[in-house]
Amino acid sequence: MPRELLVACPLLLPCLVAAHSAITLPPSRNAVDSDAFPWAGAVPHPLPFEPWCPIPSRSAVGKDDRNLTGSNGQACFWFSNGCAIGCDECDGSTRGPIPSFNCNATSCVPTGKPIEFGPQAPICSIAHGSMNATMCDPTHRTVNTAAECGSPEDYFFYSPWRAPGYAPVIDSCGSAGGRRPGQGAGGFGAEYVNTTHANIGDLGSKTLLPRDTGVEWVAGGTYEVAWTPQANHGGGYSYRLCPADSAALDEDCFNRA
């Protein structure tokens, strides 16, 4: 019998450094503002990073020379920020244990602020410590692969994709702007333009209502899905399902499928 299912937002990429990605097919709840201004209009030229999550679409052919549309709204700005492996929760603020730089249009200069790297550095807290990355093989990593695992140059040692399944999330359907409730806007893409549908810090599982996608899947079938990254931070992604009528849209539900 047909069973209505909710497709999970990509869970691995958004952690730690705001990977900014979103499902495009079938349409997700996160694209709640797709019919609002400015996303319902023309995609700007040149394209600003915020607050756009443009996607390629046949509907844009002849209207946009890049074949881009804003029909995914701010879907890629629903994520979890400030998450690291072994930690109990995401802080919604930090970009994770990577170097601090001051950048301009042509170069980046280290700030000189000390950041401790390597195994068991206190990423979560001094008292809590952290866990070591389980994925060290450079052939299984997608960014900064020349760095020796756990060395000071291994900037992404504590990133969620370095020990898949061992990093928390703020919310299984993302948080608007990747921030915890009440934090307001942050840096490095941790932003969200408030609309009548949602405000920065809102939790997707609590705020986003079901939407008619026009898609019905039957268990055991094979279906086409699509996902688009807005900013690549070297992670991975997975598709997970949770029944739309589930009492809670949380990690337990998505991990059962």
Side-chain angles (χ1 to χ4, degrees):
M1 296 196 45
R3 187 185 188 195
E4 186 182 3
L5 296 170
L6 174 68
V7 179
C9 310
L11 299 181
L12 299 181
L13 278 174
C15 302
L16 186 64
V17 288
H20 295 337
S21 60
I23 287 175
T24 59
L25 181 69
S28 73
R29 299 183 183 193
N30 303 90
V32 64
D33 44 20
S34 60
D35 59 351
F37 178 83
W39 306 283
V43 178
H45 238 312
L47 179 68
F49 180 71
E50 298 157 347
W52 287 86
C53 305
I55 60 174
S57 173
R58 291 189 182 92
S59 67
V61 175
K63 301 177 182 178
D64 183 281
D65 59 359
R66 302 153 298 178
N67 296 334
L68 294 178
T69 173
S71 61
N72 223 30
Q74 297 183 89
C76 65
F77 288 92
W78 290 85
F79 62 99
S80 294
N81 194 42
C83 311
I85 58 175
C87 298
D88 293 329
E89 60 182 15
C90 310
D91 63 25
S93 180
T94 62
R95 296 190 66 216
I98 61 176
S100 177
F101 292 94
N102 288 326
C103 298
N104 55 37
T106 59
S107 63
C108 292
V109 179
T111 63
K113 296 179 180 179
I115 298 179
E116 187 173 352
F117 296 100
Q120 295 303 320
I123 295 305
C124 306
S125 68
I126 294 178
H128 187 284
S130 189
M131 68 174 288
N132 293 335
T134 60
M135 188 177 293
C136 282
D137 187 340
T139 64
H140 296 164
R141 290 151 50 190
T142 56
V143 66
N144 200 28
T145 57
E148 179 183 355
C149 184
S151 70
E153 292 75 31
D154 190 4
Y155 305 143
F156 302 101
F157 187 78
Y158 299 101
S159 297
W161 54 87
R162 295 296 296 277
Y166 286 94
V169 295
I170 294 177
D171 187 85
S172 293
C173 292
S175 166
R179 303 281 275 171
R180 296 174 67 89
Q183 285 184 319
F188 305 103
E191 299 185 20
Y192 187 87
V193 175
N194 294 341
T195 69
T196 56
H197 303 290
N199 297 317
I200 190 165
D202 283 350
L203 303 180
S205 67
K206 309 295 184 184
T207 303
L208 300 174
L209 300 176
R211 61 180 298 186
D212 183 9
T213 64
V215 173
E216 187 177 79
W217 290 349
V218 178
T222 301
Y223 302 95
E224 181 178 343
V225 295
W227 164 88
T228 298
Q230 171 73 347
N232 175 27
H233 296 297
Y237 61 93
S238 66
Y239 289 99
R240 301 176 187 174
L241 300 174
C242 176
D245 57 358
S246 174
L249 303 178
D250 56 19
E251 294 297 273
D252 288 341
C253 181
F254 284 117
N255 286 327
R256 283 197 298 268

